[in-house]
């Protein structure tokens, strides 16, 4: 049996060994999930709702345990990890209302009436990346279960521990066996089998654009439903008329949160030329104030990167000549990397164009509104972004013009579980979250009933 050694990225110590699920075991789990679906879909909506609320309560009772586990496994700061465990609870609570609200429609047609039903798909496969192991799992499994599907979930090899614990807590909450199964293991084995197994009727994939394209191609073989939440290179657009002090004070955590390993990281800051120098002067102390330290400390704002390989990957983008200034990071064990600001940056530089997925941000000037939109859209990605201005009309114009799925104005907060989330262009396909998510885990069925004699 193969095992994965799970490493604490803040100490480089091994904290667990997790058996990898083999291809045969994946097939068996999918078969069990297929059988469990036949009864789970028949559980009355009210009872399914009660079970999901109970699952939320059990997650809540274990919030601190889950958070501490995430700190050790992923190097997330304890304050972030507490929020992440709480997000799973909140998303379960939110979607616990869905089983009783999966309404169809009735459409009058000549000679009768046409009824629309939303029917669950069957087994849903959820594939999770390592950067937000808990929330991204919950965004997939909660609406899928609410709609009456069963779920098989593959956590990332580097970060399986909280997902495994959530699988145990689901059973503690009374979810029937095989309704929600967590299968740790390799993408090339477990993930691939979710895609190729005909009983899995939908794939929810969050990860890199490169793997996402392969997932989409694999799903096409069976015309399998797929949602893709992929990479980003989001722009933080700062106009000269904005509250520059606020924009500069909040810019660091809009990209360095989770050590920059965030698909929504605002990793390109575009600043109107007349405010460019002033903005950099305000940004420098804010970056130097970011507390990069042991993520278990309540004061930590940023922890380590997830792995040695990720640190080498991030470092490959940083040429010393292009660094304007840096924050600090601990020395000694741990995959630390300091918050780093690149300026000026050539718009063809790979550090400017590619998703770095680390604490590195590029700051570039723009001339006017049209130039800002042109530069913001000059990327293959389109996930997130921010606009800073006191001119409301301009904020709305720019928000409409930027090709991106989730934007914020005078704020860096654009993800809410009760609003849809997803990307334009190569940042993804489809939307997660929001009130319509359970419907995306259903087939739509139309039935004509004749009223003729
Ligand atoms: P990744 O390498 O694409 O892996 C994502 C998941 O896919 C992992 O569980 C991985 O398993 C699995 N996988 C790998 N190869 C596979 C295959 N051939 N078939 C099926 N599954 C396979 O991405 P990552 O490095 O973990 O995550 C970082 C990326 O995720 C970034 O690009 C980030 O922007 C993106 N992301 C996007 C969002 C969003 O909502 N848009 C949110 C978070 C992250 P292994 O662990 O075994 O490799």
């Amino acid at each position: 049996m193969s095992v994965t050694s799970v490493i604490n990225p803040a100490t480089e110590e091994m904290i667990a060994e997790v058996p990898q699920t083999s291809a045969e075991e994946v097939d068996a789990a999918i078969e069990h999930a297929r059988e469990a679906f036949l009864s789970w879909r028949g559980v009355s909506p009210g009872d399914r709702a009660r079970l999901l609320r109970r699952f939320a309560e059990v997650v809540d009772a274990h919030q601190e345990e889950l958070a501490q586990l995430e700190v050790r496994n992923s190097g997330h700061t304890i304050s972030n990890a507490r929020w992440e465990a709480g997000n799973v609870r909140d998303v379960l609570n939110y979607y616990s209302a869905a089983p009783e609200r999966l309404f169809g429609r009735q459409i009058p047609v000549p000679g009768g009436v046409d009824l629309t039903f939303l029917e669950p798909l069957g087994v849903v496969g959820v594939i999770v990346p390592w950067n937000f192991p808990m929330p991204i799992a919950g965004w997939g499994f909660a609406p899928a279960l609410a709609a009456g599907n069963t779920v098989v979930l593959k956590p990332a090899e580097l970060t399986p521990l909280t997902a495994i614990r959530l699988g145990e807590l689901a059973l503690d909450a009374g979810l029937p066996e095989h309704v929600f199964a967590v299968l740790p293991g390799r993408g090339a084995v477990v993930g691939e089998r979710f895609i190729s197994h005909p009983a899995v009727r939908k794939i929810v994939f969050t990860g890199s654009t490169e793997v996402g394209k392969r997932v989409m191609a694999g799903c096409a073989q069976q015309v399998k439903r797929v949602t893709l939440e992929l990479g980003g290179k989001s722009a933080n657009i700062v106009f000269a008329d904005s509250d520059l002090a606020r924009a500069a004070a909040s810019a660091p955590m809009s990209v360095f949160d989770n050590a920059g390993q965030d698909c929504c990281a605002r990793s390109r800051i575009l600043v109107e030329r007349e405010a460019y120098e002033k903005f950099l002067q305000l940004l420098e102390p804010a970056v130097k104030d970011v507390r990069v330290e042991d993520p278990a400390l309540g004061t930590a704002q940023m922890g380590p990167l997830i792995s040695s390989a990720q640190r080498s990957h991030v470092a490959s983008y940083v040429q010393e000549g292009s660094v304007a200034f840096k924050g600090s990071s601990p020395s000694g064990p741990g995959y630390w990397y300091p918050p780093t600001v690149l300026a000026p940056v050539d718009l063809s530089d790979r550090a400017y164009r590619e998703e770095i997925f680390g604490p590195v941000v590029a700051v570039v000037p723009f001339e006017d509104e049209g130039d800002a939109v042109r530069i913001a859209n000059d990327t293959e990605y389109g996930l997130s972004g921010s606009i800073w201005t006191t001119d409301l009309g301009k904020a709305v114009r720019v928000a409409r013009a930027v090709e991106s799925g989730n934007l914020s104005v005078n704020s860096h907060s654009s993800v809410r579980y009760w609003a849809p989330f997803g990307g334009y262009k190569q940042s993804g396909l489809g939307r997660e979250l929001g009130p319509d998510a359970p419907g995306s885990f259903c087939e739509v069925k139309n039935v004509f009933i004749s009223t003729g004699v």
Side-chain angles (χ1 to χ4, degrees):
M1 182 179 57
S2 312
V3 294
T4 304
S5 299
V6 180
I7 306 293
N8 180 337
T11 62
E12 303 184 35
E13 288 164 358
M14 190 177 80
I15 52 169
E17 286 196 313
V18 173
Q20 293 185 351
T21 314
S22 67
E24 295 71 32
E25 289 166 331
V26 178
D27 282 359
I30 292 171
E31 191 52 39
H32 285 313
R34 202 183 58 77
E35 282 165 20
F37 169 67
L38 301 177
S39 44
W40 179 244
R41 69 175 302 174
V43 172
S44 75
D47 285 342
R48 216 179 317 136
R50 264 189 289 281
L51 280 166
L52 292 177
R53 278 197 293 277
R54 177 84 191 112
F55 190 4
E57 284 163 15
V58 174
V59 170
D60 187 50
H62 292 80
Q63 183 180 8
E64 188 61 21
E65 177 204 332
L66 287 163
Q68 296 288 350
L69 195 56
E70 201 65 281
V71 171
R72 288 200 301 284
N73 189 169
S74 306
H76 290 193
T77 61
I78 183 63
S79 55
N80 278 8
R82 286 185 182 125
W83 180 89
E84 290 159 19
N87 183 257
V88 176
R89 172 203 57 214
D90 293 346
V91 169
L92 277 165
N93 264 329
Y94 179 69
Y95 288 115
S96 70
E100 295 171 301
R101 288 167 175 70
L102 281 170
F103 306 131
R105 306 169 67 188
Q106 59 86 11
I107 306 165
V109 291
V113 64
D114 194 285
L115 301 183
T116 307
F117 295 91
L118 295 181
E119 307 284 10
L121 300 168
V123 182
V124 170
V126 180
I127 302 175
V128 181
W130 47 258
N131 65 326
F132 286 112
M134 283 193 280
I136 291 173
W139 299 0
F141 71 67
L145 293 172
N149 302 279
T150 53
V151 171
V152 287
L153 181 143
K154 191 201 98 59
E157 272 181 89
L158 294 171
T159 57
L161 299 186
T162 47
I164 292 171
R165 192 71 189 110
L166 286 169
E168 294 165 355
L169 296 178
L171 292 173
D172 291 352
L175 261 75
E177 225 187 339
H178 308 304
V179 164
F180 173 45
V182 177
L183 309 176
R186 294 179 50 212
V189 177
V190 183
E192 293 271 1
R193 196 63 190 128
F194 286 4
I195 294 158
S196 62
H197 199 298
V200 177
R201 301 303 308 141
K202 176 170 177 173
I203 297 291
V204 178
F205 174 84
T206 306
S208 61
T209 297
E210 187 192 343
V211 176
K213 288 176 185 173
R214 290 217 298 277
V215 171
M216 189 174 177
C219 288
Q221 299 305 311
Q222 294 170 14
V223 196
K224 188 172 291 195
R225 278 155 184 68
V226 61
T227 51
L228 301 172
E229 294 290 358
L230 309 176
K233 190 75 182 176
S234 297
N236 176 5
I237 305 172
V238 182
F239 286 97
D241 67 3
S242 66
D243 180 339
L244 276 187
R246 257 185 77 210
S250 63
M253 293 317 288
S254 79
V255 56
F256 303 142
D257 193 34
N258 206 26
Q261 302 164 124
D262 181 342
C263 53
C264 291
R266 274 67 164 170
S267 53
R268 296 182 296 148
I269 306 180
L270 319 184
V271 188
E272 197 161 6
R273 189 173 297 278
E274 62 187 275
Y276 184 75
E277 289 305 327
K278 173 81 179 152
F279 181 85
L280 281 173
Q281 282 164 18
L282 292 165
L283 183 65
E284 182 165 358
V287 168
K288 291 185 170 166
D289 280 351
V290 175
R291 293 185 68 107
V292 185
E293 58 187 355
D294 176 357
L297 295 172
T299 49
Q301 291 179 295
M302 192 182 120
L305 291 167
I306 188 67
S307 66
S308 171
Q310 186 65 12
R311 182 168 59 183
S312 304
H313 170 77
V314 171
S316 76
Y317 285 96
V318 179
Q319 312 301 324
E320 281 310 316
S322 59
V323 175
F325 43 85
K326 282 183 188 184
S328 59
S329 61
S331 52
Y335 309 122
W336 303 100
Y337 200 87
T340 301
V341 177
L342 307 180
V345 182
D346 192 283
L347 300 194
S348 62
D349 191 321
R350 61 186 273 273
Y352 177 79
R353 305 209 70 79
E354 296 177 14
E355 181 182 46
I356 299 176
F357 226 51
V360 179
V361 66
V363 190
V364 299
F366 66 84
E367 304 305 331
D368 55 25
E369 186 179 323
D371 199 34
V373 170
R374 184 186 61 76
I375 297 175
N377 287 341
D378 182 21
T379 168
E380 65 198 25
Y381 295 114
L383 188 57
S384 191
S386 306
I387 298 146
W388 289 81
T389 174
T390 47
D391 178 339
L392 184 58
K394 181 159 66 180
V396 174
R397 277 196 309 274
V398 174
R400 294 290 305 271
V402 171
E403 296 163 349
S404 180
N406 294 84
L407 290 153
S408 51
V409 173
N410 296 330
S411 158
H412 293 301
S413 165
S414 54
V415 184
R416 305 258 179 325
Y417 58 79
W418 56 96
F421 172 72
Y424 272 42
K425 301 193 276 187
Q426 294 194 31
S427 283
L429 185 72
R431 290 289 177 274
E432 293 189 286
L433 300 175
D436 299 330
S440 76
F441 289 96
C442 294
E443 296 280 9
V444 177
K445 181 183 287 173
N446 283 83
V447 179
F448 169 71
I449 298 173
S450 169
T451 51
V453 284

